[in-house]
Amino acid sequence: MEEAGRDIYEIRLARADELYLLAAIEIDAFWALHDAGAVACEPTSLPIGVLRQSLETDLLFVAADALDQPFGFLAGIVMADTVHIAEIDVIRHWQKKGVGRRLMQAMIEAARRRGASGVTLTTDRHVPFNAPFYVSLGFRMLDDGERSAELSRILEREVEHGADPARRVAMALWF
């Protein structure tokens, strides 16, 4: 367990019985993005199939409080020889306390242990707790020619679902 202020929590692998809790975490965190101008659509949550895939490959991490209740999560998926961050969310009450950083560090370490060539993600380029946060972890923005076809398809799907193409960016941390 680690303490953030007076809040005690741990980062650990998720359990199958916790999958149903993650949609509520994602929707709560959505409103922070909405308020920052990153999204204008209605909140949605990651499909349960993606969460199960992450769980089955030991790429689904949760931040759990002192009562072992998840309040944040990070879902990764294997994409070719990389690990792709499908989603990372922390409920608003726990944001700005280092929880997202610890979730990302756990995933980066898991990707290294798997022998992945790196970690990829897509995000908003302007919101401080998005692209600038990932840069602080060593990620860099990818130009059109540097993106894999899979990453380009992910960005296209995000735009189809209402994301502003001028704000979306693919990023990578290569090992």
Side-chain angles (χ1 to χ4, degrees):
M1 294 279 198
E2 184 166 310
E3 197 168 332
R6 293 183 319 192
D7 299 316
I8 297 172
Y9 70 98
E10 72 173 324
I11 305 297
R12 61 169 171 77
L13 287 171
R15 297 186 297 259
D17 66 340
E18 295 171 327
L19 294 182
Y20 73 95
L21 300 170
L22 304 185
I25 293 168
E26 187 171 355
I27 289 171
D28 183 87
F30 165 89
W31 294 109
L33 278 174
H34 181 273
D35 293 348
V39 290
C41 58
E42 290 299 309
T44 60
S45 58
L46 207 56
I48 194 76
V50 174
L51 292 172
R52 280 197 186 104
Q53 178 185 358
S54 296
L55 179 73
E56 291 166 3
T57 55
D58 289 335
L59 293 173
L60 183 60
F61 290 90
V62 296
D65 65 19
L67 299 175
D68 201 32
Q69 294 298 306
F71 62 85
F73 76 95
L74 191 156
I77 56 173
V78 176
M79 217 167 68
D81 67 338
T82 66
V83 171
H84 180 74
I85 306 299
E87 191 67 38
I88 178 172
D89 291 297
V90 176
I91 63 169
R92 289 172 287 175
H93 168 75
W94 279 89
Q95 290 176 2
K96 297 183 171 74
K97 296 181 180 184
V99 176
R101 181 170 300 277
R102 289 207 41 232
L103 284 165
M104 286 296 296
Q105 290 167 336
M107 184 60 72
I108 291 165
E109 183 55 36
R112 285 185 196 278
R113 282 194 309 270
R114 298 176 77 86
S117 64
V119 178
T120 63
L121 57 86
T122 60
T123 193
D124 184 277
R125 71 175 69 234
H126 300 301
V127 175
F129 53 87
N130 279 192
F133 165 69
Y134 299 118
V135 167
S136 78
L137 289 166
F139 284 77
R140 67 176 191 79
M141 292 185 198
L142 300 176
D143 295 328
D144 291 348
E146 296 178 290
R147 287 194 310 257
S148 67
E150 293 150 319
L151 272 175
S152 293
R153 280 193 295 276
I154 290 169
L155 283 172
E156 289 168 11
R157 280 195 303 272
E158 291 172 351
V159 169
E160 288 169 6
H161 287 99
D164 180 348
R167 295 182 70 108
R168 297 305 291 172
V169 63
M171 299 184 77
L173 171 65
W174 302 118
F175 303 143

